[in-house]
Amino acid sequence: MALQTILFDFTLDAEKTATSSQRQDVARVVRNELEHVFSQLELAYSMESLDGGYFAVLHENKETIITCRIFQQGLLTINVEYYLADGKEPLMSFDTGKRVENAIAKKLNALWGQKLPTLKRGDVARYFPSSACMYTFSSPKVIASMQNERIIEYDIDTLVYEARSPFQKIQIMHSKTLGNMLILDELQNIAESDLIYTETLMGRGIENYEGKEICILGGGDGALLYELLKEKPKHVVMLEIDELVMQACNKYLNTICGDVLEKRKTEQYEIIVGDCVEYMKKFIADGRKFDYVFGDLTDIPISGAPIGECWDFIRTIFEHSFKLLKPDGKFLTHGNGTSCLESLQLFEDQLRLLKPKVKFTTSKAFVPSFMEEWLFYQVTFA
């Protein structure tokens, strides 16, 4: 649950906002377009400011609040705020936001316009690392607001796919430079440009997977499985909970997953659709062991202490993974951005608490779609 703040900015010809009547005309156009989304919109307050501008507050059922400001110099800003409860869809989707922006820009003959970051406020407990993006959409460029206090810009031009599974919201968007990008619950996961992410996670050129038994936890985009199979392992089992993610990636991200998501079982690999923790428990009970276990799951949370549901899940994955490893086996996983020093330290502290004791090394790589350097962990028994 969080407060959603949606921002639109436009630059108009100053000659069209020079007088009070002209600014009123602009305000009417804005309201007409917003009413396509907020059908019960009402004007709560308006005024002409001392600096020669116009300001208005509108609302829908006193829940969604919209402010509009028009400057005589030609600037137009629109702020939309509302509360979004857990499990509810945003009031303004990708297509809706783009339509509103384009319609206003067209009817006002705007010189420039864009929809700025959708800010999620008042939900700090659910913040994730710096790859966790909140996406907003405009044409021709899209701003992505990063949750580690960075703001970066993606050149997204198309929403390729959007659906909601029982577990999460799934989107695939197209970037002119990064290709198709997988976004889960508005968090950037992987793009067609991100082979370096997969290669660094698996330690290509360092680890020898030939003839080895491997378990992947998560990995629903199929990229890790696809690259591992090139290394001629004995067998790979992948535990992924979300069938719909795999279907979407098989169709729209096959440049990174090949055809491995076409089938659920072959001589080389098996994809099991279900809760990885439950299947790990079953493997442990059966005495099954692996040379490598990959944690391709939850990012490390950004938090001041290792408490909460996400940290509990990470500790559960640690506990079960090392029960599945052979004595000389390795647990390989991703961390988060190298700038997130506090969260990485908390993660490493959890590793040091494990029994039997483990030791770890790290590697790092610049991941194009994250637009930052990312840290990866290689963990073995001490």
Side-chain angles (χ1 to χ4, degrees):
M1 53 185 178
L3 180 70
Q4 305 277 307
T5 301
I6 306 166
L7 308 172
F8 293 88
D9 282 0
F10 299 90
T11 300
L12 312 178
D13 186 338
E15 292 183 359
K16 296 180 179 179
T17 59
T19 68
S20 175
S21 62
Q22 288 175 319
R23 293 189 287 272
Q24 292 283 346
D25 290 340
V26 170
R28 277 191 287 273
V29 169
V30 170
R31 179 171 177 174
N32 288 340
E33 293 307 320
L34 289 173
E35 284 178 340
H36 292 303
V37 182
F38 308 102
S39 59
Q40 300 179 53
L41 202 60
E42 297 180 27
L43 178 65
Y45 175 79
S46 67
M47 61 172 262
E48 286 286 328
S49 59
L50 294 176
D51 60 359
Y54 173 86
F55 175 76
V57 179
L58 304 100
H59 71 89
E60 183 176 62
N61 301 323
K62 297 183 179 179
E63 294 178 350
T64 299
I65 305 298
I66 301 174
T67 60
C68 173
R69 191 168 183 185
I70 305 166
F71 296 81
Q72 66 174 347
Q73 295 86 354
L75 299 179
L76 164 63
T77 64
I78 305 166
N79 302 347
V80 180
E81 284 194 347
Y82 65 93
Y83 177 81
L84 182 66
D86 285 342
K88 297 293 185 180
E89 289 292 330
L91 298 181
M92 192 166 285
S93 67
F94 177 96
D95 290 332
T96 303
K98 194 167 185 177
R99 281 198 301 269
V100 170
E101 177 206 330
N102 290 342
I104 292 175
K106 182 177 180 180
K107 291 192 176 180
L108 295 176
N109 292 315
L111 305 175
W112 179 84
Q114 69 174 358
K115 179 175 176 290
L116 293 169
T118 299
L119 302 177
K120 293 184 177 180
R121 300 157 60 192
D123 201 17
V124 176
R126 301 180 64 188
Y127 272 14
F128 287 84
S130 53
S131 68
C133 304
M134 297 175 291
Y135 287 85
T136 62
F137 317 101
S138 63
S139 177
K141 292 187 177 179
V142 176
I143 301 293
S145 173
M146 308 299 286
Q147 291 176 320
N148 70 337
E149 300 180 356
R150 297 189 308 140
I151 294 180
I152 61 177
E153 185 175 62
Y154 288 98
D155 54 352
I156 293 173
D157 56 7
T158 308
L159 175 64
V160 176
Y161 174 86
E162 185 172 46
R164 181 173 288 278
S165 76
F167 309 102
Q168 57 202 333
K169 180 178 180 179
I170 305 163
Q171 294 172 303
I172 293 177
M173 300 180 188
H174 180 263
S175 158
K176 295 175 184 177
T177 55
L178 302 170
N180 283 350
M181 304 166 63
L182 173 65
I183 297 156
L184 302 177
D185 283 338
E186 299 185 355
L187 310 180
Q188 165 59 11
N189 275 249
I190 195 167
E192 290 180 293
S193 61
D194 294 344
L195 178 60
I196 188 65
Y197 174 93
T198 305
E199 290 189 324
T200 309
L201 173 61
M202 63 186 282
R204 173 162 277 161
I206 300 172
E207 302 294 337
N208 178 17
Y209 295 103
E210 187 171 356
K212 302 297 174 62
E213 294 184 276
I214 301 168
C215 179
I216 300 173
L217 310 177
D221 53 70
L224 179 58
L225 175 60
Y226 180 56
E227 295 302 327
L228 282 170
L229 291 175
K230 297 177 183 179
E231 306 293 317
K232 301 179 181 179
K234 180 179 180 181
H235 191 262
V236 182
V237 60
M238 186 175 104
L239 308 177
E240 167 59 44
I241 198 169
D242 203 327
E243 173 71 35
L244 197 56
V245 167
M246 292 189 286
Q247 291 177 10
C249 292
N250 182 51
K251 185 172 183 179
Y252 299 109
L253 281 169
N254 51 36
T255 55
I256 66 171
C257 66
D259 61 356
V260 298
L261 299 177
E262 292 280 347
K263 299 177 181 178
R264 294 294 173 260
K265 190 172 184 179
T266 71
E267 290 185 0
Q268 280 188 297
Y269 67 90
E270 180 180 9
I271 298 173
I272 298 175
V273 182
D275 184 341
C276 72
V277 174
E278 295 305 313
Y279 280 96
M280 292 170 82
K281 290 178 182 178
K282 182 179 184 302
F283 291 166
I284 292 167
D286 293 344
R288 192 168 178 180
K289 295 289 184 178
F290 297 90
D291 297 289
Y292 290 93
V293 174
F294 282 90
D296 197 10
L297 295 161
T298 306
D299 290 332
I300 302 172
I302 297 293
S303 60
I307 57 176
E309 182 180 347
C310 195
W311 281 107
D312 290 342
F313 180 70
I314 288 173
R315 283 186 283 266
T316 298
I317 293 301
F318 283 169
E319 177 187 350
H320 289 65
S321 294
F322 286 98
K323 289 180 180 178
L324 289 174
L325 278 177
K326 296 178 182 179
D328 59 349
K330 281 190 177 184
F331 175 71
L332 305 179
T333 191
H334 57 87
N336 57 21
T338 55
S339 63
C340 300
L341 299 178
E342 184 177 4
S343 65
L344 291 171
Q345 184 61 56
L346 291 173
F347 183 78
E348 293 171 10
D349 289 344
Q350 299 306 301
L351 287 173
R352 294 186 180 99
L353 292 173
L354 289 173
K355 293 182 180 180
K357 288 189 173 296
V358 301
K359 58 185 179 181
F360 62 86
T361 57
T362 62
S363 55
K364 54 189 177 182
F366 183 87
V367 181
S369 76
F370 298 173
M371 297 194 187
E372 69 171 320
E373 191 175 60
W374 207 249
L375 199 68
F376 300 83
Y377 287 87
Q378 304 84 42
V379 192
T380 59
F381 291 110

